[in-house]
mmCIF file of all heavy atoms in Angstrom:
data_model
loop_
_atom_site.group_PDB
_atom_site.id
_atom_site.type_symbol
_atom_site.label_atom_id
_atom_site.label_comp_id
_atom_site.label_asym_id
_atom_site.label_seq_id
_atom_site.Cartn_x
_atom_site.Cartn_y
_atom_site.Cartn_z
ATOM 1 N N LEU A 1 -2.340 -3.136 -12.076
ATOM 2 C CA LEU A 1 -1.452 -2.067 -12.539
ATOM 3 C C LEU A 1 0.008 -2.399 -12.256
ATOM 4 O O LEU A 1 0.909 -1.900 -12.917
ATOM 5 C CB LEU A 1 -1.843 -0.743 -11.881
ATOM 6 C CG LEU A 1 -1.091 0.504 -12.286
ATOM 7 C CD1 LEU A 1 -1.158 0.763 -13.791
ATOM 8 C CD2 LEU A 1 -1.625 1.713 -11.528
ATOM 9 N N GLY A 2 0.245 -3.271 -11.287
ATOM 10 C CA GLY A 2 1.613 -3.692 -10.973
ATOM 11 C C GLY A 2 2.313 -2.817 -9.966
ATOM 12 O O GLY A 2 3.534 -2.924 -9.804
ATOM 13 N N VAL A 3 1.583 -1.964 -9.254
ATOM 14 C CA VAL A 3 2.243 -1.107 -8.269
ATOM 15 C C VAL A 3 2.388 -1.795 -6.915
ATOM 16 O O VAL A 3 3.199 -1.365 -6.099
ATOM 17 C CB VAL A 3 1.536 0.266 -8.103
ATOM 18 C CG1 VAL A 3 1.531 1.031 -9.399
ATOM 19 C CG2 VAL A 3 0.142 0.122 -7.558
ATOM 20 N N VAL A 4 1.621 -2.859 -6.668
ATOM 21 C CA VAL A 4 1.778 -3.609 -5.415
ATOM 22 C C VAL A 4 2.919 -4.595 -5.631
ATOM 23 O O VAL A 4 2.815 -5.531 -6.408
ATOM 24 C CB VAL A 4 0.487 -4.355 -5.015
ATOM 25 C CG1 VAL A 4 0.712 -5.131 -3.720
ATOM 26 C CG2 VAL A 4 -0.678 -3.389 -4.872
ATOM 27 N N ARG A 5 4.017 -4.367 -4.954
ATOM 28 C CA ARG A 5 5.213 -5.185 -5.170
ATOM 29 C C ARG A 5 5.373 -6.282 -4.137
ATOM 30 O O ARG A 5 6.121 -7.228 -4.350
ATOM 31 C CB ARG A 5 6.470 -4.299 -5.176
ATOM 32 C CG ARG A 5 6.448 -3.201 -6.219
ATOM 33 C CD ARG A 5 6.095 -3.682 -7.624
ATOM 34 N NE ARG A 5 7.040 -4.663 -8.095
ATOM 35 C CZ ARG A 5 6.773 -5.586 -9.011
ATOM 36 N NH1 ARG A 5 5.593 -5.669 -9.552
ATOM 37 N NH2 ARG A 5 7.697 -6.441 -9.380
ATOM 38 N N GLY A 6 4.693 -6.163 -3.018
ATOM 39 C CA GLY A 6 4.810 -7.203 -2.017
ATOM 40 C C GLY A 6 3.907 -6.954 -0.832
ATOM 41 O O GLY A 6 3.529 -5.818 -0.555
ATOM 42 N N VAL A 7 3.549 -8.042 -0.161
ATOM 43 C CA VAL A 7 2.731 -7.988 1.049
ATOM 44 C C VAL A 7 3.351 -8.941 2.056
ATOM 45 O O VAL A 7 3.703 -10.076 1.709
ATOM 46 C CB VAL A 7 1.270 -8.415 0.756
ATOM 47 C CG1 VAL A 7 0.468 -8.502 2.043
ATOM 48 C CG2 VAL A 7 0.608 -7.468 -0.221
ATOM 49 N N HIS A 8 3.501 -8.475 3.288
ATOM 50 C CA HIS A 8 4.024 -9.322 4.355
ATOM 51 C C HIS A 8 3.144 -9.132 5.581
ATOM 52 O O HIS A 8 2.970 -8.003 6.053
ATOM 53 C CB HIS A 8 5.470 -8.965 4.692
ATOM 54 C CG HIS A 8 6.003 -9.733 5.849
ATOM 55 N ND1 HIS A 8 6.334 -11.074 5.768
ATOM 56 C CD2 HIS A 8 6.227 -9.372 7.130
ATOM 57 C CE1 HIS A 8 6.759 -11.488 6.950
ATOM 58 N NE2 HIS A 8 6.702 -10.470 7.785
ATOM 59 N N VAL A 9 2.599 -10.220 6.074
ATOM 60 C CA VAL A 9 1.791 -10.187 7.290
ATOM 61 C C VAL A 9 2.609 -10.799 8.405
ATOM 62 O O VAL A 9 3.115 -11.919 8.275
ATOM 63 C CB VAL A 9 0.463 -10.957 7.107
ATOM 64 C CG1 VAL A 9 -0.341 -10.941 8.404
ATOM 65 C CG2 VAL A 9 -0.349 -10.365 5.969
ATOM 66 N N GLY A 10 2.772 -10.044 9.478
ATOM 67 C CA GLY A 10 3.522 -10.525 10.638
ATOM 68 C C GLY A 10 2.735 -10.304 11.912
ATOM 69 O O GLY A 10 1.598 -9.827 11.881
ATOM 70 N N ALA A 11 3.355 -10.610 13.007
ATOM 71 C CA ALA A 11 2.701 -10.465 14.305
ATOM 72 C C ALA A 11 2.356 -9.015 14.614
ATOM 73 O O ALA A 11 1.404 -8.733 15.346
ATOM 74 C CB ALA A 11 3.608 -11.043 15.395
ATOM 75 N N ASP A 12 3.113 -8.083 14.025
ATOM 76 C CA ASP A 12 2.894 -6.661 14.299
ATOM 77 C C ASP A 12 2.037 -5.968 13.241
ATOM 78 O O ASP A 12 1.958 -4.747 13.218
ATOM 79 C CB ASP A 12 4.236 -5.949 14.450
ATOM 80 C CG ASP A 12 5.115 -6.065 13.218
ATOM 81 O OD1 ASP A 12 4.854 -6.953 12.376
ATOM 82 O OD2 ASP A 12 6.055 -5.261 13.079
ATOM 83 N N GLY A 13 1.387 -6.717 12.355
ATOM 84 C CA GLY A 13 0.523 -6.115 11.349
ATOM 85 C C GLY A 13 0.937 -6.490 9.939
ATOM 86 O O GLY A 13 1.625 -7.490 9.718
ATOM 87 N N THR A 14 0.512 -5.661 9.007
ATOM 88 C CA THR A 14 0.737 -5.938 7.587
ATOM 89 C C THR A 14 1.562 -4.823 6.968
ATOM 90 O O THR A 14 1.291 -3.643 7.185
ATOM 91 C CB THR A 14 -0.614 -6.036 6.841
ATOM 92 O OG1 THR A 14 -1.394 -7.064 7.467
ATOM 93 C CG2 THR A 14 -0.426 -6.361 5.384
ATOM 94 N N GLU A 15 2.552 -5.228 6.199
ATOM 95 C CA GLU A 15 3.330 -4.259 5.425
ATOM 96 C C GLU A 15 3.050 -4.524 3.952
ATOM 97 O O GLU A 15 3.070 -5.664 3.499
ATOM 98 C CB GLU A 15 4.823 -4.397 5.668
ATOM 99 C CG GLU A 15 5.621 -3.408 4.813
ATOM 100 C CD GLU A 15 7.131 -3.560 4.942
ATOM 101 O OE1 GLU A 15 7.599 -4.633 5.363
ATOM 102 O OE2 GLU A 15 7.829 -2.592 4.598
ATOM 103 N N VAL A 16 2.764 -3.462 3.226
ATOM 104 C CA VAL A 16 2.577 -3.567 1.780
ATOM 105 C C VAL A 16 3.592 -2.640 1.121
ATOM 106 O O VAL A 16 3.816 -1.521 1.579
ATOM 107 C CB VAL A 16 1.127 -3.243 1.349
ATOM 108 C CG1 VAL A 16 0.729 -1.827 1.698
ATOM 109 C CG2 VAL A 16 0.927 -3.493 -0.134
ATOM 110 N N VAL A 17 4.228 -3.135 0.076
ATOM 111 C CA VAL A 17 5.242 -2.372 -0.651
ATOM 112 C C VAL A 17 4.632 -1.930 -1.983
ATOM 113 O O VAL A 17 4.154 -2.756 -2.753
ATOM 114 C CB VAL A 17 6.512 -3.210 -0.892
ATOM 115 C CG1 VAL A 17 7.545 -2.407 -1.682
ATOM 116 C CG2 VAL A 17 7.086 -3.687 0.429
ATOM 117 N N LEU A 18 4.644 -0.621 -2.214
ATOM 118 C CA LEU A 18 4.115 -0.045 -3.441
ATOM 119 C C LEU A 18 5.231 0.635 -4.215
ATOM 120 O O LEU A 18 6.102 1.275 -3.626
ATOM 121 C CB LEU A 18 3.043 1.004 -3.128
ATOM 122 C CG LEU A 18 1.836 0.579 -2.305
ATOM 123 C CD1 LEU A 18 0.956 1.792 -1.997
ATOM 124 C CD2 LEU A 18 1.052 -0.492 -3.026
ATOM 125 N N THR A 19 5.194 0.506 -5.526
ATOM 126 C CA THR A 19 6.092 1.250 -6.403
ATOM 127 C C THR A 19 5.221 2.153 -7.260
ATOM 128 O O THR A 19 4.442 1.664 -8.083
ATOM 129 C CB THR A 19 6.924 0.311 -7.292
ATOM 130 O OG1 THR A 19 7.769 -0.479 -6.456
ATOM 131 C CG2 THR A 19 7.787 1.093 -8.275
ATOM 132 N N PRO A 20 5.298 3.472 -7.057
ATOM 133 C CA PRO A 20 4.465 4.372 -7.849
ATOM 134 C C PRO A 20 4.829 4.308 -9.330
ATOM 135 O O PRO A 20 5.960 3.978 -9.687
ATOM 136 C CB PRO A 20 4.758 5.757 -7.276
ATOM 137 C CG PRO A 20 5.914 5.610 -6.377
ATOM 138 C CD PRO A 20 6.158 4.170 -6.118
ATOM 139 N N THR A 21 3.856 4.623 -10.172
ATOM 140 C CA THR A 21 4.097 4.570 -11.612
ATOM 141 C C THR A 21 5.189 5.546 -12.018
ATOM 142 O O THR A 21 5.918 5.282 -12.963
ATOM 143 C CB THR A 21 2.816 4.853 -12.399
ATOM 144 O OG1 THR A 21 2.264 6.099 -11.971
ATOM 145 C CG2 THR A 21 1.802 3.735 -12.210
ATOM 146 N N TYR A 22 5.279 6.660 -11.336
ATOM 147 C CA TYR A 22 6.444 7.537 -11.461
ATOM 148 C C TYR A 22 6.549 8.359 -10.192
ATOM 149 O O TYR A 22 5.560 8.524 -9.472
ATOM 150 C CB TYR A 22 6.426 8.388 -12.739
ATOM 151 C CG TYR A 22 5.407 9.490 -12.808
ATOM 152 C CD1 TYR A 22 5.764 10.815 -12.575
ATOM 153 C CD2 TYR A 22 4.087 9.229 -13.144
ATOM 154 C CE1 TYR A 22 4.841 11.838 -12.668
ATOM 155 C CE2 TYR A 22 3.154 10.249 -13.237
ATOM 156 C CZ TYR A 22 3.533 11.543 -12.989
ATOM 157 O OH TYR A 22 2.611 12.557 -13.083
ATOM 158 N N SER A 23 7.740 8.844 -9.883
ATOM 159 C CA SER A 23 7.979 9.454 -8.573
ATOM 160 C C SER A 23 7.153 10.700 -8.323
ATOM 161 O O SER A 23 6.877 11.028 -7.182
ATOM 162 C CB SER A 23 9.475 9.759 -8.384
ATOM 163 O OG SER A 23 9.907 10.663 -9.371
ATOM 164 N N GLY A 24 6.685 11.366 -9.361
ATOM 165 C CA GLY A 24 5.877 12.568 -9.179
ATOM 166 C C GLY A 24 4.391 12.320 -9.320
ATOM 167 O O GLY A 24 3.612 13.257 -9.433
ATOM 168 N N CYS A 25 3.963 11.083 -9.290
ATOM 169 C CA CYS A 25 2.552 10.751 -9.491
ATOM 170 C C CYS A 25 1.698 11.432 -8.422
ATOM 171 O O CYS A 25 1.917 11.227 -7.225
ATOM 172 C CB CYS A 25 2.341 9.243 -9.447
ATOM 173 S SG CYS A 25 0.612 8.763 -9.641
ATOM 174 N N PRO A 26 0.721 12.244 -8.841
ATOM 175 C CA PRO A 26 -0.103 12.951 -7.862
ATOM 176 C C PRO A 26 -1.048 12.037 -7.085
ATOM 177 O O PRO A 26 -1.591 12.439 -6.066
ATOM 178 C CB PRO A 26 -0.880 13.952 -8.712
ATOM 179 C CG PRO A 26 -0.903 13.370 -10.076
ATOM 180 C CD PRO A 26 0.375 12.595 -10.210
ATOM 181 N N ALA A 27 -1.233 10.809 -7.537
ATOM 182 C CA ALA A 27 -2.153 9.890 -6.871
ATOM 183 C C ALA A 27 -1.472 9.026 -5.814
ATOM 184 O O ALA A 27 -2.125 8.202 -5.179
ATOM 185 C CB ALA A 27 -2.827 8.997 -7.912
ATOM 186 N N THR A 28 -0.179 9.216 -5.587
ATOM 187 C CA THR A 28 0.572 8.352 -4.669
ATOM 188 C C THR A 28 -0.046 8.315 -3.272
ATOM 189 O O THR A 28 -0.205 7.243 -2.686
ATOM 190 C CB THR A 28 2.047 8.796 -4.602
ATOM 191 O OG1 THR A 28 2.596 8.714 -5.915
ATOM 192 C CG2 THR A 28 2.860 7.918 -3.686
ATOM 193 N N GLU A 29 -0.418 9.465 -2.726
ATOM 194 C CA GLU A 29 -0.986 9.502 -1.373
ATOM 195 C C GLU A 29 -2.357 8.855 -1.325
ATOM 196 O O GLU A 29 -2.682 8.132 -0.384
ATOM 197 C CB GLU A 29 -1.054 10.944 -0.865
ATOM 198 C CG GLU A 29 0.300 11.516 -0.515
ATOM 199 C CD GLU A 29 0.201 12.946 0.011
ATOM 200 O OE1 GLU A 29 -0.779 13.240 0.737
ATOM 201 O OE2 GLU A 29 1.088 13.743 -0.296
ATOM 202 N N VAL A 30 -3.180 9.091 -2.353
ATOM 203 C CA VAL A 30 -4.510 8.486 -2.414
ATOM 204 C C VAL A 30 -4.386 6.968 -2.503
ATOM 205 O O VAL A 30 -5.126 6.236 -1.848
ATOM 206 C CB VAL A 30 -5.310 9.049 -3.615
ATOM 207 C CG1 VAL A 30 -6.615 8.290 -3.819
ATOM 208 C CG2 VAL A 30 -5.566 10.527 -3.432
ATOM 209 N N ILE A 31 -3.446 6.498 -3.301
ATOM 210 C CA ILE A 31 -3.223 5.062 -3.448
ATOM 211 C C ILE A 31 -2.794 4.453 -2.107
ATOM 212 O O ILE A 31 -3.296 3.402 -1.708
ATOM 213 C CB ILE A 31 -2.189 4.782 -4.557
ATOM 214 C CG1 ILE A 31 -2.817 5.081 -5.930
ATOM 215 C CG2 ILE A 31 -1.667 3.358 -4.489
ATOM 216 C CD1 ILE A 31 -1.837 5.076 -7.087
ATOM 217 N N ALA A 32 -1.890 5.106 -1.399
ATOM 218 C CA ALA A 32 -1.433 4.594 -0.102
ATOM 219 C C ALA A 32 -2.587 4.536 0.897
ATOM 220 O O ALA A 32 -2.753 3.541 1.613
ATOM 221 C CB ALA A 32 -0.296 5.464 0.440
ATOM 222 N N GLU A 33 -3.416 5.577 0.930
ATOM 223 C CA GLU A 33 -4.545 5.595 1.861
ATOM 224 C C GLU A 33 -5.595 4.557 1.497
ATOM 225 O O GLU A 33 -6.173 3.910 2.374
ATOM 226 C CB GLU A 33 -5.168 6.995 1.936
ATOM 227 C CG GLU A 33 -4.394 7.939 2.813
ATOM 228 C CD GLU A 33 -4.153 7.371 4.224
ATOM 229 O OE1 GLU A 33 -5.114 6.915 4.886
ATOM 230 O OE2 GLU A 33 -2.993 7.371 4.661
ATOM 231 N N SER A 34 -5.866 4.383 0.212
ATOM 232 C CA SER A 34 -6.832 3.369 -0.230
ATOM 233 C C SER A 34 -6.332 1.971 0.109
ATOM 234 O O SER A 34 -7.114 1.099 0.510
ATOM 235 C CB SER A 34 -7.065 3.475 -1.740
ATOM 236 O OG SER A 34 -7.610 4.725 -2.073
ATOM 237 N N THR A 35 -5.039 1.761 -0.052
ATOM 238 C CA THR A 35 -4.415 0.485 0.284
ATOM 239 C C THR A 35 -4.561 0.209 1.778
ATOM 240 O O THR A 35 -4.987 -0.874 2.189
ATOM 241 C CB THR A 35 -2.928 0.502 -0.116
ATOM 242 O OG1 THR A 35 -2.849 0.647 -1.536
ATOM 243 C CG2 THR A 35 -2.210 -0.746 0.323
ATOM 244 N N ARG A 36 -4.218 1.202 2.576
ATOM 245 C CA ARG A 36 -4.304 1.066 4.039
ATOM 246 C C ARG A 36 -5.750 0.764 4.460
ATOM 247 O O ARG A 36 -6.006 -0.160 5.238
ATOM 248 C CB ARG A 36 -3.806 2.353 4.709
ATOM 249 C CG ARG A 36 -3.736 2.281 6.217
ATOM 250 C CD ARG A 36 -3.139 3.549 6.836
ATOM 251 N NE ARG A 36 -1.695 3.582 6.604
ATOM 252 C CZ ARG A 36 -1.070 4.398 5.744
ATOM 253 N NH1 ARG A 36 -1.754 5.269 5.038
ATOM 254 N NH2 ARG A 36 0.230 4.361 5.599
ATOM 255 N N ALA A 37 -6.704 1.506 3.912
ATOM 256 C CA ALA A 37 -8.114 1.326 4.284
ATOM 257 C C ALA A 37 -8.618 -0.067 3.905
ATOM 258 O O ALA A 37 -9.341 -0.704 4.686
ATOM 259 C CB ALA A 37 -8.973 2.406 3.617
ATOM 260 N N ALA A 38 -8.249 -0.551 2.728
ATOM 261 C CA ALA A 38 -8.708 -1.870 2.281
ATOM 262 C C ALA A 38 -8.162 -2.976 3.177
ATOM 263 O O ALA A 38 -8.889 -3.918 3.532
ATOM 264 C CB ALA A 38 -8.297 -2.108 0.835
ATOM 265 N N LEU A 39 -6.894 -2.876 3.547
ATOM 266 C CA LEU A 39 -6.298 -3.910 4.390
ATOM 267 C C LEU A 39 -6.835 -3.854 5.814
ATOM 268 O O LEU A 39 -7.072 -4.899 6.440
ATOM 269 C CB LEU A 39 -4.775 -3.795 4.361
ATOM 270 C CG LEU A 39 -4.141 -4.131 3.008
ATOM 271 C CD1 LEU A 39 -2.659 -3.821 3.015
ATOM 272 C CD2 LEU A 39 -4.392 -5.583 2.630
ATOM 273 N N GLU A 40 -7.072 -2.664 6.330
ATOM 274 C CA GLU A 40 -7.666 -2.548 7.666
ATOM 275 C C GLU A 40 -9.093 -3.070 7.664
ATOM 276 O O GLU A 40 -9.516 -3.749 8.605
ATOM 277 C CB GLU A 40 -7.583 -1.107 8.156
ATOM 278 C CG GLU A 40 -6.162 -0.719 8.537
ATOM 279 C CD GLU A 40 -5.991 0.751 8.913
ATOM 280 O OE1 GLU A 40 -6.957 1.539 8.763
ATOM 281 O OE2 GLU A 40 -4.876 1.102 9.344
ATOM 282 N N ALA A 41 -9.856 -2.799 6.597
ATOM 283 C CA ALA A 41 -11.226 -3.312 6.484
ATOM 284 C C ALA A 41 -11.239 -4.841 6.410
ATOM 285 O O ALA A 41 -12.203 -5.474 6.833
ATOM 286 C CB ALA A 41 -11.917 -2.711 5.262
ATOM 287 N N ALA A 42 -10.174 -5.421 5.891
ATOM 288 C CA ALA A 42 -10.059 -6.887 5.811
ATOM 289 C C ALA A 42 -9.545 -7.482 7.121
ATOM 290 O O ALA A 42 -9.291 -8.688 7.196
ATOM 291 C CB ALA A 42 -9.132 -7.273 4.651
ATOM 292 N N GLY A 43 -9.381 -6.642 8.149
ATOM 293 C CA GLY A 43 -8.934 -7.127 9.450
ATOM 294 C C GLY A 43 -7.448 -7.404 9.528
ATOM 295 O O GLY A 43 -7.014 -8.211 10.340
ATOM 296 N N LEU A 44 -6.663 -6.726 8.683
ATOM 297 C CA LEU A 44 -5.224 -6.996 8.608
ATOM 298 C C LEU A 44 -4.377 -5.852 9.146
ATOM 299 O O LEU A 44 -3.207 -5.728 8.812
ATOM 300 C CB LEU A 44 -4.839 -7.318 7.162
ATOM 301 C CG LEU A 44 -5.498 -8.572 6.607
ATOM 302 C CD1 LEU A 44 -5.380 -8.628 5.097
ATOM 303 C CD2 LEU A 44 -4.898 -9.805 7.243
ATOM 304 N N GLY A 45 -4.950 -4.999 9.992
ATOM 305 C CA GLY A 45 -4.219 -3.869 10.544
ATOM 306 C C GLY A 45 -3.414 -4.269 11.764
ATOM 307 O O GLY A 45 -3.561 -5.376 12.267
ATOM 308 N N PRO A 46 -2.560 -3.416 12.242
ATOM 309 C CA PRO A 46 -2.221 -2.138 11.620
ATOM 310 C C PRO A 46 -1.443 -2.341 10.320
ATOM 311 O O PRO A 46 -0.798 -3.364 10.120
ATOM 312 C CB PRO A 46 -1.356 -1.437 12.672
ATOM 313 C CG PRO A 46 -0.765 -2.550 13.480
ATOM 314 C CD PRO A 46 -1.781 -3.667 13.461
#
């Protein structure tokens, strides 16, 4: 979809940058939580 704009893994965990499809997108929170859960499940937390 192109909403994942970047991923950075450092000593303090993983940062992922998301750009929502539009600022009022009702799925923004669900997308952020799904992203967080997938990366933590892959052992890349916090």
